[in-house]
Structures are given as structure tokens and as C-alpha cells.
Amino acid sequence: MNQPTLNYVSCPGASALAPTWSDSSRKQQVQALPSGLHRMAYWEWNNTGNPAHPHVIVCAHGLSRQGRDFDVLAAELSRFARVICPDVVGRGESDWLQDPMAYQVPLYAADMLALLAQLHHQAPIQILDWVGTSMGGLIGMGLAGQPGLPLPVPVRRLVLNDVGPVIEWGSLVRIGSYLGKSLHFPNFETAAAAMRLISTEFGPHSDQQWADFSRAMVKPDPSGGVVLHYDPRIAAPMAHMTQELAQAGEAMLWQLYDQIQARVLLVRGAQSDLLSRATAQAMAQRGPKAYCTELEGVGHAPTLIAPGQVALLRKFLQGEQADIELPLTMSLAEQAYKDAE
């Protein structure tokens, strides 16, 4: 499998901290940054043979995840596009923030605008697509649903992976119960097992798939053992969230969704506790009228590792024709089928 390159973009708007697991060199780099600046890391995949390929696909991860989540998908999509997988600030190889309350979607979206501007400066973008899992989908909605943003080109196709304008409160409570807690483990195997225990809704994975999916989730702890990659303080904004505030935000999210001009594929885990079937049905009927594919045997959120899941997104993002036939549902067998088309 081809491998990605690690890159950075400087983003204004919030000051940086070095991750607690940083070595002395990393700490010095962060300390040298001007106030009000932080760096976002991103992984670039490109197997097209053209380093300036004009088709760019950004893959944005979920709340506590990082850009290497998309290794399997990115390796496939990079055969026909530059694939960019950011580590959202506070995660992976990106800087942490001095102010934990800055860990919110508006800042993340601003960072993505800085990223796209840098990519466009490197090589003009002619086609821009977005794949967003959970939080990454909310960021994508923010970028695609606000007219007048300084995007290099409008988002052409948008994949929303198990997320929409209405986020079920029970799911937020579940996520809040573990986010930012129990970050230290004696070794990688223990950490991977703990993450698997709280990620049963991701669907079935082989032991090797789970190990590969988990490897970038931990960093060596200078005091021994390993720690999860992210700043535990990303949970701070959620600690202030109430059910009333969440419901109040729905109107704004629906407004963003209704203004999206991109063609939208909504991938829903059939057992999702975050994206209800009623919300998915509403998304198919209003705004960009998303095409929805429901994945049986999966909850929140599909990992986009299974061959059938990868083939579904490839078909949506690579196809040029106006009408692409996509399945309404995919069984576990169809998701696992290596020659799925």
C-alpha cells in the first residue's frame, strides 16, 4: 500500500500548546510559534502520478479520532485524486490549544480554510470533494453550506458519514461518558482492547483490522506506557453542553444543510444512536436531498474500512455521470465483499 506524507499548515485564531507526549524538539517548535497561531497536521495521499493533480478529496475524522483513520479509504481514492486527511487541532500530530473552549467546529472550519488555501497555492484545485465522519461531517456542512466562504472552488460532492443536523442527545451522553478519560495504558495492546470495548458500534472488524485502525491512536508516554493521541481537554466544550443548547443548534445546522449545493451521499449505520432514521429521511427530502445508503450491522460510525464501504464511496466520488446508482442498504456480507462495485 502506498504511504502518505505528513505536512503542516499554520492556522491563525488560537495559540498552541505542545502535546504532553512531545519530545524536547517538538516543544521548542511550539514555543517558537507567535501568539495566536497553531499548526494543523495533515496526511497527503497521491498515487495518481501527478503531484499537482487538480482533484482534491478531504477526509475529516470524528471527535476523538485522527487522520490515519482513513488509511484504507485514502489509499484507494488516491488512485484518482490527491487525498488530504487532516489531524484536527488537538489530535494526532497537530498542536494542542491553550484555550480548551476553542475546541469547537467554527475554529476547525477556519483551520480547514487555511489548509485549502495552502493546497490551492501549491497546485490549483479544480475539483473539491469532502468526506466527513461525524464531527468531520459537521465541519464539511459548515464549509459547503455557507455561501461566500473563501473556498478555492465550491465543494462538488459531500459524503456525510453518520451525521446530520440533528444529533441525538443520548449519543452525546454516551460519548461524553468516555471522552478525555482513561488516556493512559501500559501498552498498545491494552489501549486497543479498551478502545474496541467502547467502539462496538463501529461494526465487525478482524483483529488485524482493529490493530491497524488503532495504531495511530496512541503515543509513547515519556513516563512509560502509552497515552491516547488527543488532548483530553477537547471534552471541555461538551461539558458545557445541555440538551436545550443542543436542540437550539439544530435550526442553525438545518439552515447550513439546506444551503448546500454539493451533491450529498449520507452513509448511515443502521444501528446508529447519533443519526436517527427520521433525520436521515428528512435529509433526503430537503436541501440537497441526500442520497442515503444504510449499512446493516453497523452503528455510529462506520469506519469505511470494509471493501464494500470503500467501493461505495469510490463510486460516488469518482463517477462523472449525473445519476450514479447507489444501494439503499448494504448487508454485512455486501460490505465485506472484496469486489463490491
Side-chain angles (χ1 to χ4, degrees), residues 131-331:
V131 177
T133 294
S134 196
M135 180 189 74
L138 295 178
I139 299 170
M141 285 172 54
L143 294 179
Q146 292 190 71
L149 289 181
L151 293 167
V153 293
V155 177
R156 181 192 68 140
R157 292 186 181 169
L158 172 64
V159 178
L160 298 176
N161 185 20
D162 209 63
V163 71
V166 180
I167 298 174
E168 297 300 312
W169 178 249
S171 177
L172 293 177
V173 172
R174 175 179 60 81
I175 294 170
S177 69
Y178 65 78
L179 186 67
K181 301 171 184 175
S182 303
L183 298 187
H184 186 274
F185 301 91
N187 51 49
F188 167 74
E189 291 75 18
T190 305
M195 288 185 285
R196 195 169 195 172
L197 190 63
I198 63 172
S199 306
T200 55
E201 286 202 348
F202 285 7
H205 294 79
S206 69
D207 291 345
Q208 187 60 55
Q209 284 178 321
W210 190 256
D212 293 342
F213 191 61
S214 302
R215 205 159 302 278
M217 291 290 291
V218 300
K219 299 290 183 183
D221 188 344
S223 63
V226 298
V227 291
L228 295 186
H229 66 99
Y230 66 85
D231 183 352
R233 301 175 308 142
I234 65 172
M238 284 193 68
H240 292 80
M241 180 62 66
T242 65
Q243 191 167 4
E244 291 73 24
L245 287 173
Q247 291 172 344
E250 291 176 9
M252 180 190 68
L253 290 173
W254 274 119
Q255 183 179 8
L256 288 173
Y257 180 77
D258 288 339
Q259 294 178 148
I260 292 173
Q261 298 298 309
R263 189 170 184 194
V264 177
L265 169 63
L266 177 63
V267 179
R268 179 179 184 270
Q271 299 171 0
S272 176
D273 65 346
L274 186 141
L275 177 67
S276 71
R277 184 170 285 117
T279 298
Q281 291 171 344
M283 294 171 70
Q285 295 168 0
R286 58 186 284 183
K289 297 183 178 178
Y291 194 99
C292 182
T293 296
E294 193 167 86
L295 305 180
E296 297 180 359
V298 180
H300 183 79
T303 58
L304 308 180
I305 286 176
Q309 296 176 9
V310 171
L312 172 71
L313 267 65
R314 184 187 67 231
K315 188 172 185 178
F316 176 71
L317 296 168
Q318 189 176 20
E320 294 295 337
Q321 62 270 35
D323 295 312
I324 302 174
E325 293 186 7
L326 300 173
L328 292 173
T329 62
M330 293 186 74
S331 67

